[in-house]
């Protein structure tokens, strides 16, 4: 079945550092890909999405490109802030929304 | 626009007891999901409804878990009897349709502790 694998955490960074969280997927169809974020004490919310190959999703300085040839959807941000500390989940939707295990990111001032 | 509402927010029960969670999705959303999120793991889909029909319940432990969505709106998830390993956050989400490119909107979740 469809599945998502994302890099294990936790990840600890200093402010203004570059962040990459790797995500790869397995799917039989043509899924849409998502990054969700869970800030401390809050619910899951959509960060960005891409619905077809070569699409780039972006939001709040984060970007991810849907790469069909490498079945990947890596999340990147050029300069992180303390407020980016959260748990990040990669997900795919091929009529069933499936999540990766999550990556905890802590940004230190 | 009101979000997905869940209740209760927290619940503590003893093993072998029963418990029920309630979810009110965003108005007009056809698809409703229940997920189980164990601490340190990603959400695991338990059941997906399209209107009031079940689309996927392949990971629902049917010997103890049940769910229904009356009139294609509100939904309840029940556990009977509960086991220690059921301790988790139960998330409800909804989306406008079943299409793969639509995002799901999540409630705050119900944190269940089984002692």
């Amino acid at each position: 079945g469809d599945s998502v694998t994302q890099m294990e955490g936790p990840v600890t960074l200093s402010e203004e550092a570059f962040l990459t969280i790797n995500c790869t997927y397995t799917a039989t169809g043509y899924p849409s890909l998502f990054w969700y974020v869970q800030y401390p004490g809050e619910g899951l919310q959509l960060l960005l999405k891409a619905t077809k190959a070569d699409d780039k999703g972006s939001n709040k300085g984060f970007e991810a490109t849907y790469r069909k040839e490498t079945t990947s959807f890596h999340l990147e941000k050029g300069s992180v802030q303390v407020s980016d500390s959260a748990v990040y989940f990669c997900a795919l939707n091929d009529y069933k929304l499936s999540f990766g295990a999550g990556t905890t990111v802590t940004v230190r001032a | 626009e009101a979000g997905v509402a869940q209740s209760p927010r927290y619940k503590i029960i003893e093993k072998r007891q029963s418990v029920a969670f309630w979810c009110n999705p965003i108005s007009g959303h056809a698809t409703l999901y229940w997920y189980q999120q164990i601490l340190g793991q990603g959400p695991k889909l338990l059941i997906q409804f399209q209107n009031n029909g079940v689309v996927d319940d392949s990971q629902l432990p049917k010997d103890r878990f049940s769910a229904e969505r009356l009139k294609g709106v509100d939904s309840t998830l029940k556990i009977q009897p509960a086991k220690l390993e059921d301790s988790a956050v139960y998330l409800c989400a909804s989306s406008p349709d079943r299409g793969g490119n639509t995002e799901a909107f999540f409630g705050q979740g119900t944190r269940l502790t089984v002692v």
Side-chain angles (χ1 to χ4, degrees), chain B residues 1 55 61 76 83 102-103 110 114:
Chain B
E1 179 181 78
V55 171
T76 56
K83 293 185 175 181
T102 54
E103 70 174 282
T110 297
V114 182

Side-chain angles (χ1 to χ4, degrees), chain B residues 36-112:
Chain B
Q36 179 192 60
Q37 187 176 16
I38 293 172
L39 187 64
Q41 300 181 18
K44 182 181 90 170
L45 180 66
L46 293 176
I47 189 166
Q48 178 179 341
F49 292 95
Q50 179 73 9
N51 296 310
N52 61 349
V54 175
V55 171
D56 188 311
D57 63 357
S58 57
Q59 298 193 89
L60 186 74
K62 298 181 186 62
D63 57 334
R64 298 184 300 106
F65 286 63
S66 64
E68 61 180 3
R69 189 181 184 194
L70 299 176
K71 300 181 182 178
V73 183
D74 291 6
S75 178
T76 56
L77 176 70
K78 296 178 181 177
I79 308 175
Q80 182 180 7
K83 293 185 175 181
L84 296 177
E85 59 260 36
D86 298 331
S87 294
V89 176
Y90 291 84
L91 298 168
C92 179
S94 69
S95 65
D97 58 47
R98 193 186 164 200
N101 62 359
T102 54
E103 70 174 282
F105 296 82
F106 283 80
Q108 290 282 84
T110 297
R111 182 176 298 279
L112 173 68

